[in-house]
Amino acid sequence: MRDLQIDWLKCFVATVDAGSLSAAAAEVHRSQPAVSMQIKKLEHAVGHALLRRGPRLLELTHEGRTLLGYARRMLDLQAEAQAALRADAISGVVRLGVPDDYASKYLTPVLKRFAPRHGGVEIRLDCEQSTALIPRVQRGELDLALVSRDHARRGTLLFHEPMVWVGSPQFDVWARDPLPIAVYEEASLGRRSAINALALQGRPYKVVYNSSNLAGQIAAVESGLAIAALTQCSAPPHLQVLGLEHGLGPLEPMQVAVYRSQASRGNKAVDSLQQMLVQTLRQANA
């Protein structure tokens, strides 16, 4: 078995994360044929196919899944070593905000890439609803926040997150009249989206549960107390997604953006994290 070259591993990991050769090519600043060639060299070196190339997607083989974890660790260790030896290594504190429903799916992969490259940066994370995070960024209490946009010019748009109706498969809550719903606090964009959708349908409803956090919404649905409108990324797989066949029309998607404080302008640590948020999440949701 030949030594594994860093460039091969970079192209392999970028392709897995981006979901396609073309998207990976943009991230590693190579042409698509060059990325494909690097992966072929890696497969030749390890003696196994690592990716199955279908017409629309790439899938990891068993050997590819095994190598992926090692590849990430090797790239992270290299990035950590480079950061430690750079004379201009970035340091400082970044105050970051994110809603509960975006934290796991969208923030985790960003921080996994950011931390090894910038070990001198401390991230202080606050989880709140977007309606609470936005004014905190405006006051300079937070440097950055991943938020659902409340208007079209708020921050830098990253992607659109679908909204879905969810209910417990154990209860036919969706068939009740008026429809019992669980919602977030008064100013919540998710609450507004749910109520507007029902109003457009002319569907009678009643709010039976208010909660400012995701766990409360899920608990209300699991118990058969109500249905709820959640971001698709936060809907647990054990809950049932409800649609037209249940008498429920579509919901407007959320515009997910990164919002930055004026007070943080010129802060290199904030610059780096913002750049990684934009790059990683736009590519992942392209």
Side-chain angles (χ1 to χ4, degrees):
M1 184 176 290
R2 296 168 57 192
D3 290 342
L4 306 183
Q5 303 298 314
I6 289 294
D7 283 349
W8 303 346
L9 298 174
K10 279 183 180 178
C11 289
F12 172 57
V13 172
T15 300
V16 173
D17 289 345
S20 71
L21 290 170
S22 58
E27 181 167 343
V28 298
H29 308 292
R30 290 175 177 266
S31 66
Q32 182 174 330
V35 171
S36 179
M37 180 58 67
Q38 295 293 79
I39 293 175
K40 286 179 181 177
K41 289 179 179 179
L42 179 60
E43 290 177 327
H44 180 71
V46 300
H48 296 283
L50 301 173
L51 295 169
R52 295 189 188 95
R53 297 167 177 82
R56 293 187 179 179
L57 74 164
L58 294 171
E59 292 182 352
L60 285 165
T61 64
H62 172 74
E63 291 78 12
R65 287 193 296 272
T66 300
L67 179 62
L68 182 61
Y70 291 105
R72 291 194 192 279
R73 286 161 58 189
M74 292 166 73
L75 293 177
D76 287 345
L77 187 59
Q78 178 191 243
E80 186 178 341
Q82 289 173 331
L85 294 170
R86 278 200 306 264
D88 61 343
I90 298 171
S91 62
V93 175
V94 179
R95 299 164 300 172
L96 175 65
V98 64
D100 288 339
D101 45 351
Y102 295 154
S104 177
K105 181 171 182 179
Y106 297 128
L107 187 60
T108 299
V110 174
L111 296 183
K112 284 175 69 174
R113 294 182 63 194
F114 184 82
R117 291 164 171 77
H118 304 290
V121 176
E122 176 188 347
I123 296 177
R124 297 178 184 171
L125 183 64
D126 283 1
C127 288
E128 295 182 88
Q129 289 298 306
S130 295
T131 47
L133 295 173
I134 289 169
R136 293 190 63 195
V137 173
Q138 292 172 329
R139 293 192 298 265
E141 296 171 8
L142 294 172
D143 301 309
L144 284 174
L146 190 64
V147 299
S148 296
R149 266 181 166 178
D150 54 352
H151 65 70
R153 290 184 291 178
R154 178 79 67 198
T156 302
L157 179 64
L158 303 178
F159 59 92
H160 290 80
E161 173 66 26
M163 295 284 293
V164 293
W165 292 107
V166 295
S168 169
Q170 300 175 16
F171 305 98
D172 292 337
V173 177
W174 51 268
R176 298 178 192 170
D177 189 22
L179 179 69
I181 61 172
V183 293
Y184 289 108
E185 72 278 5
E186 192 70 33
S188 165
L189 297 174
R191 177 189 181 122
R192 192 184 311 168
S193 176
I195 291 176
N196 286 348
L198 294 174
L200 287 172
Q201 288 182 252
R203 178 85 187 258
Y205 69 90
K206 60 177 179 179
V207 175
V208 299
Y209 188 85
N210 280 274
S211 175
S212 61
N213 60 66
L214 176 63
Q217 300 291 313
I218 293 173
V221 175
E222 288 175 333
S223 65
L225 184 64
I227 68 167
L230 302 180
T231 51
Q232 188 176 70
C233 66
S234 67
H238 64 277
L239 295 182
Q240 182 180 8
V241 175
L242 307 172
L244 293 174
E245 65 273 27
H246 305 96
L248 292 163
L251 293 153
E252 285 293 320
M254 291 292 159
Q255 295 183 21
V256 182
V258 58
Y259 187 38
R260 180 171 181 170
S261 71
Q262 290 292 332
S264 70
R265 301 298 171 185
N267 185 315
K268 290 185 178 180
V270 180
D271 289 344
S272 296
L273 183 55
Q274 181 183 19
Q275 181 181 7
M276 189 160 289
L277 279 164
V278 172
Q279 182 185 55
T280 303
L281 296 183
R282 277 185 174 169
Q283 289 177 351
N285 294 277

